[in-house]
Amino acid sequence: MKKYWLFLIIGVLFVFGGVFLYSRNSDNPIGSVNEKTLSRNDAIGIVNGLVQNAIKVYENPKSVFIVENSSEDDDFYTVNVDNYNSVLKSIFTDNGIKQLEKTEFDGKSFSTKEENVVYLLKDIPVNSSYIKSSINYDQVAIYEKKINCVVTFSSYEIDSQDVLNYYVITKNITVVKNEDSWLIENFDYVNN
């Protein structure tokens, strides 16, 4: 009878140990087992803050970078490399930064690095401008160290013939937790 209880206790310990190890896997959605659950609203708040910062980087660089020697005639803002790197590392992961640095609008690179200077494109095309858009977040998938989400940008404009044009653009975004910070891992900004 003692062996029966011993095997039963060991079996129960294995089951609880398996459940614990399964819940610790970062690719599994956060469930009630984890004490640090992230609510949908919290996740949307994190993603929204990062999306707003990304919009500023692409569409209003002067609000996030220290711009040097830029005249109105130039197509690019000039930014010190150290300032550029520190700002981007507070918003993007290394993969997110690589994605940003490969971004082109109408054949022009958004970001061009030289030794101590970075040149940032001043004006991006209207079809890739989201600064005046309403933003909604759907299909939010929350994981222990990752949030996947669909971001919907919607805006309208009245053209010269008083015709109302309404635009809806959806983008996928992946945000990952890096130590204590949430950073953008994937966010393709260009609207083709």
Side-chain angles (χ1 to χ4, degrees):
M1 190 66 155
K2 288 183 180 183
K3 285 185 179 181
Y4 170 77
W5 283 105
L6 181 62
F7 286 124
L8 183 65
I9 291 171
I10 291 172
V12 169
L13 289 174
F14 275 118
V15 169
F16 282 115
V19 168
F20 175 76
L21 291 175
Y22 179 78
S23 68
R24 300 285 297 163
N25 186 348
S26 65
D27 289 338
N28 293 318
I30 293 178
S32 59
V33 177
N34 191 336
E35 294 177 15
K36 298 180 181 179
T37 58
L38 190 62
S39 73
R40 183 178 190 281
N41 287 340
D42 290 341
I44 289 172
I46 291 166
V47 173
N48 182 54
L50 290 168
V51 166
Q52 296 297 332
N53 286 335
I55 288 172
K56 289 176 187 173
V57 166
Y58 281 103
E59 299 186 42
N60 191 7
K62 287 172 56 172
S63 70
V64 290
F65 297 106
I66 300 169
V67 175
E68 303 173 349
N69 306 326
S70 181
S71 71
E72 294 298 317
D73 297 332
D74 292 340
D75 289 339
F76 296 91
Y77 291 116
T78 305
V79 178
N80 179 282
V81 168
D82 293 333
N83 176 244
Y84 171 82
N85 288 335
S86 67
V87 168
L88 290 188
K89 287 181 180 186
S90 70
I91 302 170
F92 299 93
T93 64
D94 290 341
N95 288 335
I97 292 171
K98 287 176 189 173
Q99 186 180 36
L100 177 140
E101 290 177 342
K102 290 179 183 177
T103 299
E104 290 186 358
F105 296 101
D106 295 336
K108 293 181 183 177
S109 292
F110 172 72
S111 169
T112 305
K113 263 189 184 181
E114 291 187 1
E115 283 185 34
N116 296 321
V117 178
V118 177
Y119 299 99
L120 300 174
L121 191 61
K122 278 187 180 179
D123 297 314
I124 65 171
V126 173
N127 69 338
S128 292
S129 177
Y130 311 119
I131 202 161
K132 295 180 183 176
S133 299
S134 297
I135 305 173
N136 290 319
Y137 302 93
D138 296 306
Q139 300 176 24
V140 181
I142 305 167
Y143 301 89
E144 187 175 346
K145 293 187 178 190
K146 180 169 68 171
I147 303 169
N148 290 327
C149 186
V150 174
V151 183
T152 304
F153 299 97
S154 57
S155 63
Y156 64 90
E157 65 180 28
I158 299 175
D159 65 16
S160 61
Q161 299 172 348
D162 289 334
V163 175
L164 177 66
N165 295 307
Y166 187 71
Y167 302 95
V168 176
I169 299 166
T170 59
K171 299 280 184 185
N172 293 319
I173 188 169
T174 302
V175 174
V176 296
K177 191 163 189 179
N178 184 6
E179 296 176 11
D180 293 332
S181 301
W182 288 92
L183 303 171
I184 295 173
E185 174 78 3
N186 178 42
F187 185 45
D188 185 8
Y189 205 82
V190 178
N191 183 33
N192 296 326

